[in-house]
Amino acid sequence: MNHLKNRQEVPEMEKWDLTDIYANQEAWEADYASVEKMAQELKSYDGNITDGATMYQFLSKQEEMVAIFNNVYVYAMLHVDLDTREQASQALLDKGRSLAVKLNEATSFFSPFLMSLEKYTLDQYMSEEPRLSYFKDDLYDTYRYKDHVLSKENEELLSQLGETFSAPRNTFGMINNADIKFGNVTDDDGNEVELTRGMYSKLIEDENREKRKEAYKSYYQPYVQMKNSIASTLSAAIKNNVTLSKVRHYPSALEKSLFANKIPKEVYENLIDTARKNLSTMHRYTQLRKDILGVDELRQYDLNVPLVSGVKEDISYEEAYATMLEALAPLGEDYVQTVKEMKGSRYIDVRETPGKRSGAYNLGLYGVHPFILLNHQDDLDSLFTLTHEMGHAMHSHYSNKHQPRITASYEIFVAEVASTVNEVLLIHHLLDEAKDQEYRKYLLNHFIDQFKGTFFTQVMFAEFEKKTHELAENGEPLNTETFNDIYEDLFKTYHGDALTIEEETKYGWSRIPHFYRPFYVYQYATGFAAAIHIANAILKGDKDTLNAYLSFLKSGSSDYPIELLKKTGVDLTTPEPIENALGVFEDLVQEFATL
């Protein structure tokens, strides 16, 4: 069992080098002050944009200010994530959040002003000032929001309430990352040690059922204890979202979330409907799991243990990186070489250390480079996580390199495609290399569980969000009991009758950070379906799809996400990509059952 290293024990090459953003805190403070000053200057444009030239001045200064602000904020955020207990870092981030509010206040007048212009006036500004063409798509796209932008006074008021609206999410973040203490578990030598998240992810896969049960009970214990506090923060987050949707005249909170990317509501509903129609394979797999484990009652702590024993292996970080490079070879030399260089450039923070933020992510900072956070555990899951986050990092790298700042960042809707294509390439590589039938079964089992987690679990979460937001929209109460009932019912529906529900199961909602980013998780499932289509075509040697995919990685947000994906041959407005992905799932379960 891994015991946490102190940060000092981790090799330098496995830690972020944040001096790539700022050499020291003095440089950070200087940029902080310059953003404050620029925000004041931008306020002076309120009421004074009268032609194309002044509009261009305002927009280019605003872009410059936001670029510097991003550096300021990200630097503080990354420091906090390395140790959420560190008060000095927390103070920097608090300053960053306050600065965000000032920045929004200074520029909140612009949207109502733009909406007040007739289209022919904007056309005239464009013809007067050729440099405005850089902002053209954004300016005309803003007109889509005409019905959802409030008066100048109300927009200012809403921007001042920014911190208030984000309070539930920030509160849950502190509870989940800094305050929660899991109970103790017994290590291999019979000693009691405090459970960590990284340890839990290993123990819940342990072949010893008692160990799994002990870890499961210990892990859920603080969430059950704090159920009412967490229900209060989640309820507030949902109600805030519903309130903002109403204030901005959207038909529903769901449609507000989908509006920016022009995602039709049908894409969300079609995802849930198609998944529900195909739950029989998922139920078959749950029954298969129960049969193979030979248990009278299949429990939630039995859902993650590999069904093939004796082949679980330790994979060091070095080995994991080398395997990933081999697996990504179908994406071409430039792709693989760039991934190789990231390892030696300290773009990746590798190890779990005390106080470090849990999980993994990639953050692509324009003009600097991607930053990848891991909590690497030297196992197969960690190899997949590394490969997943590298997909995001390469998406950031290519888009930042090939797009101007205004279109460099990609939308969340397409973000999961790049990460999942990498994972699909990895599993196929591992299956191709597997000489031993037991290891092949182990990998199939791993891919099925991966599919379950990235597709079915996320669709279940998406349905939970839809139901809870609809209750709030109808003025129904949201509390621990409501959340428990909905979550338990969905868990039963998705897993089938072979699973015996644990008392803790219904509290699953209380540990999900993504619920504080409304209607986010469904994109894991749509991205997964799209990625399976693209990766399978690339593996069959389809050069057109490969070229279209590499162009997609370089596209940032130069078009709406649905349109960008259509260029790779995936149309998510139809059930076809979802059904194709579920066909792959059925084949995997069939092969696994046969073996």
Side-chain angles (χ1 to χ4, degrees), residues 473-490:
E473 282 162 345
N474 295 327
E476 303 282 337
L478 290 179
N479 50 39
T480 307
E481 199 176 333
T482 318
F483 293 142
N484 283 356
D485 289 347
I486 295 171
Y487 195 87
E488 186 172 31
D489 180 59
L490 286 171

Side-chain angles (χ1 to χ4, degrees), residues 6 36 43 47 49 146 151 193 196 241 256 259 288 297 336 361 388 427 435 551 575 588 592:
N6 281 320
E36 274 191 315
K43 268 187 183 172
I49 298 178
K146 210 168 176 66
S151 68
V193 291
T196 68
N241 195 35
K256 173 181 171 284
F259 185 82
L288 197 59
E297 290 182 325
V336 173
Y361 65 70
H388 177 102
I427 191 71
K435 305 284 185 280
S551 296
L588 289 166
F592 185 66

